[in-house]
């Protein structure tokens, strides 16, 4: 196997083999740009080294051959005493990982070659400064010596010279600093600094290989979801010197502003310096434009090169360069990282400039970037006092007074106050408070806890799992360590994008993108900026090219109307259990406690008008679009008071000799309904089969609401979904009952009623027997939240708090399977369910209504397996629309029809 490539042998398409840096150095060489001679050692060599602890057989000889070619091209020899060739050894993975791995400069210098470099350059100071930089970088990178040891020695030298600037140190000062650095190496590493140039090179290459698995590199890959088995390439490049004098320098440039996307000249330049001085912030840099006044010829050539690279890469380019004695050298280029706003601006700018088309522009932006643009953000320039850190559960910036329960949140918000609901964790009863609050903060739970899921659905800022906070709900305060105590009514600010919690009010900047989606900002108006116009153009193109429909998960009329503004093409999941909370809970409790048919009928009759009114509001908001209504899913005990609270209530009553019959009855019901694992107990379709009349009530409410709207000239399209079906026989029984109720209401109301009847696929058995179930179902909707739980054997609310962090650290998960679908396991069940379902019913409509419906990566999977639609929280509808368009352009998709 070939392990080493000269720059002339590679190109940018070989980045998996040569890494981004090596591939782009080769590309610039092919373009005829001034790139110092060099070669790249492949990622394949790195993988062998990491697997075995040894470099591959033959690699040393290959390096020797390419080094000899470099020496011939430069007419110098590595480490020669009279005119030494010096090289840099740089990391470069296929994916950009800025600053995460190692670089060593000036390899080849020793006690003899430093004099040759001084003679050739005419500057002893430059030569010794280059030598001290090598020892410092080699010591940190190769010998793992704490960098602070070298920094302390440099500070001592500057102090002895009475200066704060290392440029004030002369050659003698730096010669003494080199001696001090050598002593540090000997003391800290137990060996002398190596003086053999080839040994320096080999050790530096091995150290760069090893840096692939450094703690910071592993953490960065986990954060950016970069695979851990790729390895890094190593580029060995002839040194060019920006620290040769004031006619030399080094800099970083961007062809457009990576922060805003604005066109212009952006970057930093530093005279008489090497590259690490710019990125390390050791010295104050000049703006790139200032380079024109000090090195005009190199500056003009740089501008021409930047324009050439952007036209070649058809994108924003990030460039590193050095000027040596007024000659420009290009050391690196790559497609530059950018903010979300810059991504949308640059994509549409390049379309307008005729460099790319709208298809390519759409592929240049992501749903994750769009989501960032949709949330308000704190002003980065504002002063902040951070008191806690949790998980960034739902992005955005929220400021308000602390409240500790739902009722207080509703009360205070009702009188016009902004509040932050603070809980240990939330539950369905907190919904009103969550709606009223500007944001939600919990000390427990993860990104898919109740608080997180509901907050994301509402577009509400949420920070979960801030475990340094000790929340005392009954005493109305939380403590945050360091003597900080926050009481009810105190103001805090929470950042759902970072998980940070701040004391006091932090100013926020609103998002015009959300105003655009809500129809409050016309993209063609003067008030709209180029960002809003760019989002508008790319969203329209995504809608034009996508195949997947996008629906919303919504349980209220307000959410449904908002979802429609955001571009939802129907409701994919309307959860009816939320309609049984609050004041209606007592009617559900009457149903649970009923002892006769008359009691059951009375309880159901009391619930009917509430359900009907809810469905009228939602169906009317989505007039002309499908609304999938899931019949009651959770176990009945969730509608009863907590057992502990009831036990206390009964005990207190008995102690006072004042029996509380209601509490006693409720406690007995809770005990009777208690299940060891309610997630797998009496819920979903099982409730419809066991509790007489429950599903019939809900079906009648849907049918009567539909009839009412039809008579009013509307066009409601209800779809009735039976949850947790595991066997076709369950569905057949409920389907027969449902069809009978629809027929009865149609006769009573003298209207024609039709509703598709289908089921959720959320059990492995349902996916495996989908061909049978499809015979009784007109549509499937994959409930991927429960399907993930039942496939993995996880209880989501338990495992996220207990061991998910360890699973992520150990690499068992790259990301939580509740955030992005587990394609290999759960995804395979989805594939089977789609294939078998359409075998049983070719015209079967299939969608997905779990939280994964708004996850960008998962949307691409759902396009590939040929679903008809995805459904997600209203706030994520634009994200799903965008990603569905990108998925269509990227191809894929099975023919399961």
């Amino acid at each position: 196997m070939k392990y080493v490539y000269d720059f002339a042998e590679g190109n940018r398409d070989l980045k998996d083999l040569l890494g981004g840096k090596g591939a782009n150095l080769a590309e610039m060489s092919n373009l005829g740009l001034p790139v110092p001679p060099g070669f790249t050692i492949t990622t394949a060599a790195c993988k062998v080294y990491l697997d075995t602890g040894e470099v591959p057989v033959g690699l040393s000889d290959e390096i020797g051959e390419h080094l000899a070619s470099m020496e011939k091209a430069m007419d110098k020899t590595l480490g020669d005493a009279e005119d030494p060739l010096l090289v840099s050894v740089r990391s470069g993975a296929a994916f950009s990982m800025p600053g995460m791995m190692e670089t060593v400069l000036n390899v080849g210098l020793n006690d003899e070659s430093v004099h040759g470099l001084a003679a050739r350059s005419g500057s002893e100071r430059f030569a010794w400064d280059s030598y001290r930089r090598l020892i410092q970088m080699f010591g940190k990178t190769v010998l793992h010596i704490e960098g602070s040891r070298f920094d302390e020695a440099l500070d001592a030298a500057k102090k002895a010279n009475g200066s704060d600037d290392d440029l004030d140190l002369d050659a003698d000062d730096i010669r003494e600093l080199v001696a001090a650095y050598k002593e540090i190496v000997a003391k800290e590493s137990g060996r002398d600094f190596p003086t053999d140039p080839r040994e320096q090179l080999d050790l530096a290459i091995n150290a760069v290989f090893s840096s692939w698995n450094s703690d910071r590199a592993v953490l960065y890959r986990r954060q950016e979801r970069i695979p851990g088995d790729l390895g890094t390439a190593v580029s060995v490049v002839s040194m060019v010197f920006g620290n040769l004098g004031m006619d030399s320098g080094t800099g970083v440039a961007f062809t457009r502003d990576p922060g805003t996307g604005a066109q212009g000249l952006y970057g930093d330049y530093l005279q008489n310096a090497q590259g690490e001085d710019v990125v390390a912030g050791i010295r104050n840099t000049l703006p790139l434009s200032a380079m024109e006044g000090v090195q005009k010829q190199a500056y003009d050539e740089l501008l021409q090169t930047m324009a050439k690279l952007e036209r070649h890469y058809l994108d924003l380019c990030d460039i590193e360069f050095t000027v040596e004695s007024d000659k420009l050298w290009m050391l690196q280029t790559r497609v530059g990282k950018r903010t979300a706003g810059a991504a949308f601006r640059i994509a549409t700018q390049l379309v307008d400039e005729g460099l790319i088309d709208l298809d390519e522009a759409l592929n240049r932006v992501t749903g994750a970037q769009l989501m960032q643009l949709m949330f308000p953000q704190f002003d980065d320039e504002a002063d902040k006092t951070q008191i806690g850190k949790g998980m960034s559960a739902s992005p955005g910036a929220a400021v308000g007074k602390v409240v500790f329960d739902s009722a207080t949140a509703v009360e205070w918000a009702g009188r016009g106050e902004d509040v932050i609901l603070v809980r240990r964790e939330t539950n369905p009863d907190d919904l009103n408070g969550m709606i009223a609050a500007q944001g939600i903060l919990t000390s427990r739970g993860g990104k898919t806890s109740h608080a997180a899921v509901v907050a994301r659905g509402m577009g509400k800022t949420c920070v979960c799992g801030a475990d340094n906070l000790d929340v005392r709900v009954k005493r109305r305060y939380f403590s945050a360590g360091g003597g900080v105590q926050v009481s009810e009514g105190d103001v805090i600010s929470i950042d759902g994008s970072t998980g940070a919690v701040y004391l006091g009010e932090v100013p926020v900047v609103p998002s015009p993108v959300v105003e655009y989606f809500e129809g409050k900002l016309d993209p063609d108006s003067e008030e709209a900026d180029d960002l809003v116009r760019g989002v508008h153009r790319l969203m329209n193109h995504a809608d034009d090219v996508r195949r997947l429909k996008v629906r919303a998960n919504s349980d209220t009329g307000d959410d449904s109307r908002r979802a429609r503004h955001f571009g939802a093409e129907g409701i994919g999941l309307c959860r009816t259990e939320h309609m049984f909370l609050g004041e209606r809970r007592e009617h559900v409790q009457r149903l649970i406690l009923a002892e006769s048919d008359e009691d059951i009928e009375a309880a159901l009759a009391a619930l009917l008008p509430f359900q009907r009114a809810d469905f009228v509001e939602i169906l009317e908001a989505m007039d002309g679009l499908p609304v999938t209504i899931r019949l009651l899913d959770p176990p009945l005990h969730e509608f009863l008071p907590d057992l502990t609270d009831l036990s206390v209530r009964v005990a207190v009553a008995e102690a006072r000799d004042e029996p509380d019959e209601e509490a006693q009855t409720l406690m007995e019901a809770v005990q009777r309904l208690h299940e060891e694992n309610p997630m797998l107990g009496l819920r979903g379709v099982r409730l419809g089969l066991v509790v007489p009349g429950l599903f019939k009530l809900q079906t009648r409410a849907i049918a009567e609401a539909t009839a009412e709207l039809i008579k009013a000239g509307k066009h409601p399209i209800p779809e009735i979904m039976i949850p947790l079906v595991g066997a076709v026989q369950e569905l057949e029984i409920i389907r027969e009952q449902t069809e009978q109720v629809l027929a009865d209401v149609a006769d009573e109301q003298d209207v024609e009623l039709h509703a598709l009847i289908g089921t959720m696929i959320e059990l492995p058995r349902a996916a495996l027997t989908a061909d049978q179930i499809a015979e009784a179902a007109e549509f499937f909707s994959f409930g991927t939240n429960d399907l993930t739980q039942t496939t993995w054997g996880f209880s989501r609310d338990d495992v996220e708090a207990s061991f998910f962090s360890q699973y992520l650290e150990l690499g068992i998960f790259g990301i939580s399977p509740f955030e992005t679908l587990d394609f290999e396991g759960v995804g395979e069940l989805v594939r089977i369910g789609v294939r078998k379902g359409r075998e049983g019913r070719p015209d079967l409509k299939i969608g997905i209504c779990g939280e994964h419906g708004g996850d960008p990566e998962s949307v691409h999977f759902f396009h590939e397996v040929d679903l008809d639609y995805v459904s997600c929280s209203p706030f994520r509808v634009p994200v799903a629309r965008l990603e569905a368009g990108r998925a269509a352009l990227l191809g894929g998709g099975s023919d399961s029809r």
Side-chain angles (χ1 to χ4, degrees), residues 8 52 80 107 176 319 452 514 605 608 682 732 747 851:
T52 66
D80 181 71
V107 170
E176 292 177 7
I319 295 163
V514 169
L608 179 61
L682 182 58
E732 287 171 341
D747 289 341
E851 275 291 297

Side-chain angles (χ1 to χ4, degrees), residues 98-162:
M100 295 302 109
M101 293 179 290
E102 303 296 358
T103 292
V104 183
L105 305 180
N106 307 327
V107 170
L109 276 175
N110 56 30
D111 293 346
E112 295 179 356
S113 60
V114 68
H115 297 292
L117 182 62
R120 183 180 73 82
S121 64
S123 171
E124 283 209 16
R125 186 195 183 283
F126 156 72
W128 285 97
D129 185 51
S130 298
Y131 193 15
R132 70 97 183 166
R133 290 171 185 269
L134 168 64
I135 298 171
Q136 181 173 0
M137 297 182 81
F138 193 95
K140 288 170 58 180
T141 299
V142 180
L143 302 177
H144 309 295
I145 298 170
E146 280 291 330
S148 59
R149 298 286 288 112
F150 299 104
D151 294 338
E152 291 164 2
L154 177 59
D155 289 341
K158 289 190 289 187
K159 184 176 180 180
N161 198 53

Side-chain angles (χ1 to χ4, degrees), residues 638-884:
E638 290 193 10
F639 300 100
L640 294 173
D642 179 73
L643 178 60
T644 302
D645 292 341
L646 288 171
S647 300
V648 170
R649 186 172 153 188
V650 168
V652 169
E654 289 177 349
R656 294 174 176 171
D657 199 22
E658 300 174 354
D660 187 334
E661 293 184 7
E662 179 188 47
Q664 182 67 43
T665 302
L666 286 170
M667 185 173 73
E668 290 171 359
V670 172
Q671 292 170 332
R672 172 169 48 83
L673 293 171
H674 172 74
E675 296 175 300
E676 292 298 330
N677 191 344
M679 186 190 81
L680 300 178
L682 182 58
R683 52 170 288 215
V685 68
R686 302 158 193 171
L687 277 175
L689 294 169
V690 171
V691 179
L694 179 58
F695 278 12
K696 290 181 181 179
L697 154 79
Q698 293 193 288
T699 303
R700 173 166 285 275
I702 295 167
E704 291 183 359
T706 303
E708 179 180 328
L709 290 170
I710 290 173
K711 289 181 176 181
K714 303 292 185 181
H715 300 87
I717 308 176
E719 300 177 343
I720 298 173
M721 183 160 67
I722 316 302
L724 210 73
V725 166
V728 67
Q729 294 86 349
E730 295 172 315
L731 182 57
E732 287 171 341
I733 295 169
I734 298 297
R735 181 186 179 93
E736 183 179 351
Q737 296 176 2
T738 301
E739 289 176 332
Q740 184 60 56
V741 172
L742 291 171
D744 291 345
V745 174
D747 289 341
E748 295 165 12
Q749 301 289 332
D750 194 24
V751 296
E752 186 175 334
L753 287 181
H754 177 68
L756 295 182
I757 300 171
T759 186
M760 291 186 80
I761 304 295
E762 47 195 330
L763 297 173
R765 190 181 192 281
L768 295 172
T769 62
D771 50 342
Q772 299 173 30
I773 293 174
E775 295 176 5
E778 293 168 289
F779 69 87
F780 284 172
S781 183
F782 284 93
T784 53
N785 296 343
D786 274 355
L787 188 58
T788 298
Q789 292 192 91
T790 54
T791 301
W792 277 92
F794 287 155
S795 169
R796 182 177 66 187
D797 292 338
D798 295 325
V799 297
E800 281 213 318
S802 58
F803 63 79
F804 260 35
S805 58
Q806 288 95 322
Y807 267 45
L808 289 165
E809 289 172 8
L810 293 169
I812 297 170
F813 295 151
I815 190 170
S816 165
F818 294 110
E819 289 185 50
T820 294
L821 194 75
D822 160 29
F823 303 132
E824 294 177 347
V826 179
E828 186 61 23
L829 286 172
V830 172
R831 289 181 190 275
I832 292 169
V834 171
R835 176 175 54 80
K836 287 197 156 197
R838 290 206 170 110
E839 286 174 2
R841 184 185 290 263
D843 62 347
L844 186 71
K845 183 162 64 174
I846 307 180
I848 175 264
C849 61
E851 275 291 297
H852 299 105
D855 171 67
E857 285 190 43
S858 303
V859 169
H860 286 251
F861 173 81
F862 298 133
H863 170 87
E864 177 194 335
V865 299
D866 216 16
L867 297 195
D868 293 298
Y869 68 85
V870 296
S871 187
C872 56
S873 57
F875 207 72
R876 299 181 89 180
V877 164
V879 173
R881 288 166 53 201
L882 186 83
E883 289 295 347

Side-chain angles (χ1 to χ4, degrees), residues 252-267 288 306-307 309-319 334-339 342-356 364 530:
V252 175
F254 297 91
T255 57
R256 299 176 193 236
D257 186 346
T260 67
Q263 294 170 285
L265 192 62
Y266 298 90
L288 194 61
M306 290 170 66
L309 285 171
E310 185 171 270
R311 291 257 176 312
H312 182 71
Y313 282 87
L314 303 177
D315 208 344
L316 161 71
C317 289
D318 172 355
I319 295 163
R334 59 190 170 202
V335 172
K337 291 183 178 293
R338 66 209 70 185
T339 64
F344 277 83
R345 286 191 180 98
I346 291 170
T348 50
Q349 286 168 6
L350 294 173
V351 171
D352 293 338
E353 293 167 28
L355 297 177
I356 62 175
R364 297 268 180 102
D530 56 347

